[in-house]
Amino acid sequence: MKNKQPTLVIKVGGRFFDELLEQSEHKHPLLHAIKQLQTSGARVVLVHGGGDQVQAQLKALNLQSDKINGLRVTPLHHMPVVAGVLSGYLNKTLVAQAGGLGLSGVGLSLADGDMTRCTPISEALGAVGEPHPNSAVLLNALLAQGMLPIVASIGADDSGQLYNVNADHGAICVAQLLDAQLYLLSDVSGVLDASRQKLPHLSAQTAQQLIVDGVITDGMMVKVRAAQEAADALQQAVTIGSWNDVAALSTGNNSFGTQILPATTT
């Protein structure tokens, strides 16, 4: 039976952590918004990446890091660094900051509770995995107790190999597990058109044209394609927005972000 409480999966990336630490004394506005959402009865899962921090640590260790179509090439010998930054320092920093606001954060990875199983995306990308939904038991148990699962984008396959997972893909997988509303947040208000104006909604056809025209590129291209896949799989709109516009998020304001519509939407 579908849970009657609204369930939200919120994803943030590396730049969020810069703001999180800058505003640590008063806590980031997103954490306040999550607390308000929980108070109103919503179940919230927070999924995070941390590409900027991973890149900085790899550089400090003189490890070359490249990207292909917005995805970080991750040789196996990079995984101790990648997993350490994402599932270690960043995850526990976010748990600690949430706790400082009275939120009961629980730090996890995509491998915990067997919630996902990964398969490699391509040989060229190395240990970069595509996550597949597997079990919602752990997440539902934590949510039932009013906890805030905070999930780092590190997964594993059937043999126990760790994988670096694009955090957008990880958040989509969690949203599929929980049949949840999905919010992919960054420091951009939404998807911008050629005039740098936010689009309130975006169809699959228009998104593809903007990619062909070079308006949507790099990380946003990965995000839009991932959101489109999620919208099609969930058969509901997926929101791309900014963690700095959280007042609209916590009040359910329809002006928040860009709604990525399922391909079947006319």
Side-chain angles (χ1 to χ4, degrees):
M1 184 174 65
K2 185 175 179 179
N3 197 296
K4 293 181 180 180
Q5 293 175 290
T7 304
L8 285 71
V9 173
I10 298 173
K11 178 266 174 180
V12 296
R15 291 186 181 89
F16 170 78
F17 286 95
D18 295 332
E19 294 186 13
L20 181 74
L21 295 174
E22 288 172 3
Q23 303 175 40
S24 61
E25 182 178 351
H26 302 289
K27 307 308 173 190
H28 194 281
L30 178 59
L31 297 180
H32 288 275
I34 290 173
K35 187 171 184 179
Q36 184 174 341
L37 285 165
Q38 286 190 334
T39 300
S40 69
R43 309 182 336 148
V44 181
V45 178
L46 189 55
V47 178
H48 72 85
D52 291 350
Q53 290 77 14
V54 168
Q55 172 64 30
Q57 187 62 24
L58 289 171
K59 183 177 180 180
L61 295 171
N62 294 316
L63 295 172
Q64 177 67 32
S65 180
D66 300 306
K67 287 189 175 182
I68 297 176
N69 294 326
L71 297 176
R72 186 178 304 282
V73 177
T74 308
L76 279 176
H77 67 279
H78 285 193
M79 276 308 301
V81 178
V82 175
V85 172
L86 294 178
S87 292
Y89 178 70
L90 293 183
N91 188 264
K92 301 315 171 191
T93 295
L94 190 44
V95 168
Q97 289 292 314
L101 195 59
L103 292 163
S104 298
V106 179
L108 304 168
S109 75
L110 292 167
D112 286 293
D114 211 18
M115 72 177 79
T116 73
R117 295 285 179 86
C118 285
T119 55
I121 291 179
S122 72
E123 186 176 346
L125 286 169
V128 176
E130 178 181 354
H132 305 279
N134 192 60
S135 173
V137 171
L138 175 60
L139 290 174
N140 279 323
L142 294 171
L143 291 168
Q145 296 300 317
M147 304 289 184
L148 171 65
I150 299 176
V151 185
S153 55
I154 294 293
D157 63 15
D158 291 336
S159 68
Q161 170 63 51
L162 291 178
Y163 285 90
N164 183 14
V165 175
N166 176 273
D168 290 335
H169 298 162
I172 289 165
C173 197
V174 173
Q176 289 175 312
L177 269 177
L178 299 173
D179 191 22
Q181 302 170 40
L182 177 59
Y183 294 83
L184 303 178
L185 304 188
S186 68
D187 54 356
V188 180
S189 62
V191 183
L192 308 181
D193 62 18
S195 301
R196 308 297 294 170
Q197 298 299 308
K198 187 188 78 171
L199 295 162
H201 51 78
L202 190 60
S203 68
Q205 182 178 2
T206 302
Q208 183 56 36
Q209 189 59 54
L210 290 174
I211 290 172
V212 170
D213 292 343
V215 176
I216 297 176
T217 60
D218 301 326
M220 183 57 77
M221 178 178 67
V222 174
K223 193 182 300 293
V224 167
R225 285 178 169 167
Q228 187 66 62
E229 292 176 10
D232 294 345
L234 297 169
Q235 280 302 292
Q236 64 182 23
V238 171
T239 303
I240 294 176
S242 171
W243 50 64
N244 293 312
D245 298 334
V246 290
L249 172 63
S250 59
T251 58
N253 192 320
N254 290 332
S255 67
F256 179 76
T258 299
Q259 300 277 310
I260 307 300
L261 305 175
T264 53
T265 301
T266 57

